[in-house]
Amino acid sequence: MKEKVFSAEELSLLKRIASALIPASEEGGLPAADDEVIFQCVLENPAEQLIQLQSLLFELIKQEGGAAVVTAWDRTHFDNWIADYEKQWPKQVHSFFKVYIAMLLRAYYQDARVLIAYDRRPGPPFPEGYVVIEGDWSLLDAVKNRKPFYRR
Amino acid sequence: MDDVDVLIVGGGASAAAFAWSLADTRMKIVCMEQGDWIDHTQYPATSSNWEMRNDFSSDPNIRRAPADYPINNEQSDIAVANFNGVGGGTILYAAHFPRLHPSDFKVKTLDGVADDWPIDYETLAPFYEVNDRMMGVAGLAGDPAYPPKQPPMPPLPLGRSGTALARGYNALNWHWWPADVAINTEAYGGRDKCINMGLCGIGCAQGAKASVDITYWPEAQRQGIHLLTNCRVREITLGRNGMATGVTYFDKEGKEQHQSAQMVVLACNGIGTPRLLLNSKSNLFPDGLANSSGLVGKNLMFHPYTVVEALFEEQLDGSRGPHKGIQSHEFYETDESRGFVRGFSFEMHRGHGPVTTAMLGMLGNRVPWGEGHHAGYRKLADRMMAVAAVCEDLPEETNRVTLDESLTDSNGIPAAKIEYRISENSKKILAFAAERGRELFEAAGAAEITRVENPLPYAGWHNLGTARMGNDRQASVVNEWGRTHDVKNLFIIDGSLFVTSGGVNPTSTIQATALYIADAIKQRLGDASLFD
């Protein structure tokens, strides 16, 4: 089981960070990124990537005194801590956020509830495909009148 | 297998067309491909996590499939992209299928740079036509940027993105036209019409996109061509008379074998072909086979790309639909007042999928962390699109493919090392194109330019020029019909033989040239002058 990569404390912290990065929204019924289904999708990443994430998380919170300390912070303290990192995004930010945000976005924006909220059909593109309108072909009339301009 | 008449190395775009054309000679023809057949049900489009998949990445160093060979890109401004398997690059190409222009074959004469090709547009025209029919090309006749041509299918839908972009082109009075694409817009060749999945670049699960594993190869196999998969050629062997005798290869079990042949044909693309020639050293050719000119591996040309992306307030297509709906050749031909020679084409990118939109939005600080995340994303979803400028690269001997001193593939064969720097002329084209891209989107009514990437560092899709064609054996590797100057039964039929790159995607020309060479061989079989 890949979730065994993380301790319960680390999982709890990862979920708290996920929720701070992408919170729930009542508009459109959007879940937060710590939603069970979405978070499970994060945990389906290859084990070596999860181990890398764990190592980066350890590095990140070590400077704060470790997981137990960060977990005990109240909401304001935690939100301010996250906000400080956002100011460094994307170039200067700690690598943990680069790796974790990429994982979260890949999991979040394939979730059926999220896709439906943005008027996109969930599920694989094949075999149903999508509809693309023909568009305004009268725009081509201006070009059709142009003389050939290729060189020989 | 017993001695064969023709042995083709590589199973991609040029090999398939060549084998099909030669099939009616009834010669014994075998093709060896280092990869396998691709199961279309395994393409990313069949899964919900299609934007997460790396197994169909165009970067072999990321993909790292058993069929792949590593490439050292450390000394290159652009990383090589490819696919190894039956179908080759056509498995992952966008199926943008423009032809070269007549002027592309005579750049020395017209612009005083590089070299003219030993053949011209008129020579290839009948083979372009055959190839368009075999692959199944959609487009529209009447493009003023080209001599007359008639694609067999109607064009892709313009869509919301194409309509917005066309508005911009018209406001500036710039040329645009529906792109020629090897994608079915109606049932054709036993394949159904495109269902707009928009994932041409990671494999078409439906089969509406013309990859050669579902176009040429089935036809060729029905006519008796043998296609052997999971066979990786190590070197071309040479007889005392200086003629190729066949190849040494590793079979599926990794066992070294030899296949003898009367004629060897290389179709391994602009990286794989010079790699194989350079790995085929002998007393007669200590610097690599067919390399008396010293030009094998040199003159590598990519197409440097610049991408300009914009955000609109109106809804666009997002990732739905094939990306290359329309193109512009307004800046294709040389205009000395621009400060550079040659030019570029613009191709359209309809938009992004949900994950890519979010990723780009966050990287560009348009989608914040926390409470504002959803509102930020909503402004971008299905409202971004891009144009990519395909810039003509000119040949330079310093841009080259050599053998890496330590890197090897899984069979221990030395890997390719790329040394490539974007030239001053190409840099000027890229900068000019980036400015025109901005101008275009402003004219199209875009809310803002969200990204300019110049150059695109991973865009080494078109590997050209590393075994160039020519009449002068000191200045080229193969003659005007693809036979190497040095070895009279060794042919090259892939993008290696391009003399110049043009400013468009090369697959259509690669295949037309392969068909032309097959035709030249057939003519010489008739009068027994093939090996003269």
Side-chain angles (χ1 to χ4, degrees):
Chain A
M1 296 291 284
K2 287 176 181 171
E3 54 263 45
K4 291 287 171 61
V5 168
F6 300 104
S7 68
E9 204 168 40
E10 288 168 337
L11 282 174
S12 166
L13 193 50
L14 284 170
K15 284 186 176 179
R16 195 172 177 190
I17 295 170
S19 167
L21 292 168
I22 308 180
S25 168
E26 283 184 18
E27 191 188 348
L30 287 160
D34 68 339
D35 172 88
E36 282 306 324
V37 175
I38 292 168
F39 198 74
Q40 190 56 42
C41 185
V42 171
L43 295 178
E44 284 169 13
N45 277 286
E48 65 267 23
Q49 291 180 24
L50 297 178
I51 289 166
Q52 182 202 14
L53 182 70
Q54 182 187 41
S55 162
L56 290 169
L57 176 67
F58 177 80
E59 211 178 79
L60 178 79
I61 59 179
K62 190 172 71 175
Q63 55 209 33
E64 307 297 340
V69 174
V70 177
T71 305
W73 285 343
D74 65 20
R75 178 163 181 178
T76 307
H77 192 152
F78 188 85
D79 287 351
N80 288 340
W81 180 66
I82 293 285
D84 282 344
Y85 280 108
E86 187 180 9
K87 287 174 196 159
Q88 299 161 25
W89 173 266
K91 287 188 178 167
Q92 305 300 323
V93 79
H94 192 282
S95 296
F96 165 80
F97 287 99
K98 292 180 185 172
V99 171
Y100 193 38
I101 283 173
M103 283 184 182
L104 285 176
L105 294 180
R106 289 198 295 258
Y108 191 82
Y109 285 98
Q110 66 168 283
D111 183 83
R113 292 160 296 173
V114 175
L115 294 175
I116 289 168
Y118 290 109
D119 297 325
R120 193 171 175 109
R121 178 177 60 73
F126 183 79
E128 287 181 61
Y130 306 103
V131 173
V132 173
I133 63 165
E134 268 306 311
D136 183 3
W137 282 110
S138 71
L139 288 163
L140 192 59
D141 292 344
V143 195
K144 283 178 178 169
N145 294 327
R146 190 165 169 173
K147 287 183 181 168
F149 62 97
Y150 58 89
R151 291 193 299 170
R152 282 198 174 272
Chain B
M1 190 177 287
D2 294 339
D3 188 47
V4 300
D5 297 314
V6 183
L7 175 59
I8 306 167
V9 186
S14 59
F18 180 87
W20 169 81
S21 176
L22 229 51
D24 61 12
T25 63
R26 312 316 296 169
M27 290 192 290
K28 190 169 184 183
I29 301 171
V30 168
C31 175
M32 287 187 178
E33 162 57 48
Q34 64 190 323
D36 212 334
W37 288 93
I38 309 303
D39 178 356
H40 286 214
T41 67
Q42 299 304 309
Y43 282 137
T46 60
S47 59
S48 295
N49 67 346
W50 56 274
E51 280 188 283
M52 292 174 69
R53 298 266 297 266
N54 273 339
D55 48 343
F56 284 89
S57 165
S58 62
D59 184 339
N61 295 338
I62 292 175
R63 201 171 54 232
R64 291 192 291 181
D68 290 320
Y69 53 93
I71 296 176
N72 181 349
N73 294 307
E74 284 173 15
Q75 293 179 46
S76 178
D77 290 340
I78 294 173
V80 170
N82 67 16
F83 190 79
N84 297 302
V86 178
T90 65
I91 297 295
L92 299 185
Y93 77 154
H96 195 188
F97 223 64
R99 300 178 182 187
L100 285 179
H101 287 219
S103 65
D104 288 319
F105 296 89
K106 45 185 76 168
V107 300
K108 179 81 169 177
T109 301
L110 291 171
D111 297 324
V113 293
D115 283 296
D116 291 350
W117 290 50
I119 56 175
D120 57 16
Y121 183 90
E122 286 70 28
T123 305
L124 289 187
F127 302 101
Y128 275 129
E129 283 172 27
V130 170
N131 195 50
D132 283 0
R133 286 200 303 275
M134 284 301 295
M135 293 292 278
V137 171
L140 185 68
D143 186 349
Y146 276 100
K149 55 187 166 66
Q150 179 66 58
M153 283 181 278
L156 291 170
L158 200 51
R160 292 186 170 91
S161 299
T163 298
L165 199 61
R167 269 197 326 254
Y169 281 126
N170 281 3
L172 295 164
N173 200 26
W174 289 356
H175 165 266
W176 68 275
W177 201 258
D180 283 356
V181 291
I183 297 171
N184 279 9
T185 52
E186 57 190 26
Y188 186 93
R191 297 176 288 117
D192 206 354
K193 67 183 281 193
C194 171
I195 55 173
N196 298 307
M197 293 186 293
L199 307 183
C200 314
I202 47 176
C204 180
Q206 186 210 5
K209 186 186 84 168
S211 48
V212 295
D213 58 328
I214 56 173
T215 57
Y216 275 111
W217 274 126
E219 295 270 348
Q221 287 184 305
R222 275 196 288 274
Q223 294 183 67
I225 307 290
H226 298 271
L227 175 52
L228 306 178
T229 57
N230 301 297
C231 294
R232 176 176 273 153
V233 175
R234 192 192 75 197
E235 70 173 293
I236 301 150
T237 51
L238 204 62
R240 285 183 190 162
N241 59 357
M243 299 283 272
T245 54
V247 301
T248 302
Y249 70 100
F250 293 97
D251 66 15
K252 192 173 186 176
E253 281 72 43
K255 208 165 137 188
E256 194 172 297
Q257 307 267 12
H258 186 266
Q259 175 62 55
S260 58
Q262 297 300 312
M263 186 194 311
V264 176
V265 180
L266 302 187
C268 315
N269 85 38
I271 307 299
T273 286
R275 177 189 177 219
L276 180 52
L277 290 170
L278 294 172
N279 271 316
S280 302
K281 290 176 181 161
S282 62
N283 289 337
L284 206 53
F285 294 100
D287 299 321
L289 190 57
N291 196 19
S292 66
S293 65
L295 291 175
V296 169
K298 292 181 179 172
N299 295 305
L300 171 66
M301 296 172 283
F302 292 121
H303 283 126
Y305 276 71
T306 187
V307 170
V308 181
E309 179 188 76
L311 175 64
F312 285 73
E313 288 179 357
E314 68 194 87
Q315 189 183 352
L316 304 174
D317 297 323
S319 60
R320 303 170 191 86
H323 287 307
K324 311 305 177 190
I326 65 174
Q327 63 184 11
S328 172
H329 287 201
E330 181 67 26
F331 304 103
Y332 196 88
E333 307 283 4
T334 296
D335 177 342
E336 287 178 6
S337 69
R338 296 176 195 145
F340 54 81
V341 289
R342 311 303 297 158
F344 65 93
S345 60
F346 268 137
E347 56 181 28
M348 178 176 91
H349 186 89
R350 278 185 203 268
H352 305 301
V355 173
T356 308
T357 300
M359 199 78 80
L360 289 170
M362 289 192 87
L363 287 171
N365 280 321
R366 287 179 179 80
V367 177
W369 301 9
E371 291 304 324
H373 180 88
H374 302 294
Y377 178 82
R378 195 171 289 282
K379 282 183 187 169
L380 304 186
D382 294 338
R383 282 165 173 75
M384 296 165 84
M385 68 171 298
V387 289
V390 186
C391 300
E392 174 159 354
D393 214 5
L394 291 170
E396 298 189 44
E397 289 191 19
T398 49
N399 289 335
R400 60 183 186 155
V401 179
T402 56
L403 298 179
D404 195 89
E405 288 177 5
S406 54
L407 196 62
T408 64
D409 63 25
S410 57
N411 293 110
I413 305 170
K417 175 182 170 182
I418 312 299
E419 293 167 77
Y420 173 88
R421 295 294 173 224
I422 296 174
S423 71
E424 287 308 310
N425 192 67
S426 293
K427 282 178 186 170
K428 286 177 184 171
I429 301 178
L430 286 164
F432 180 87
E435 285 310 306
R436 299 293 78 73
R438 285 178 183 275
E439 211 176 324
L440 173 61
F441 279 126
E442 282 164 15
E448 64 175 306
I449 304 296
T450 48
R451 184 168 61 106
V452 177
E453 199 160 359
N454 180 10
L456 208 56
Y458 50 83
W461 293 297
H462 308 153
N463 317 137
L464 308 168
T466 49
R468 67 199 310 205
M469 174 188 264
N471 292 319
D472 179 357
R473 59 182 301 138
Q474 305 297 320
S476 57
V477 177
V478 300
N479 69 9
E480 78 277 13
W481 45 283
R483 193 178 75 180
T484 61
H485 292 300
D486 295 344
V487 183
K488 289 186 175 178
N489 63 343
L490 176 63
F491 293 79
I492 296 173
I493 60 168
D494 57 44
S496 306
L497 48 70
F498 275 42
V499 179
T500 53
S501 68
V504 290
N505 312 52
T507 305
S508 170
T509 302
I510 289 171
Q511 291 186 299
T513 309
L515 291 172
Y516 151 74
I517 293 171
D519 191 66
I521 288 172
K522 285 193 274 191
Q523 285 181 28
R524 286 164 178 83
L525 281 171
D527 63 13
S529 63
L530 184 59
F531 301 143
D532 286 351

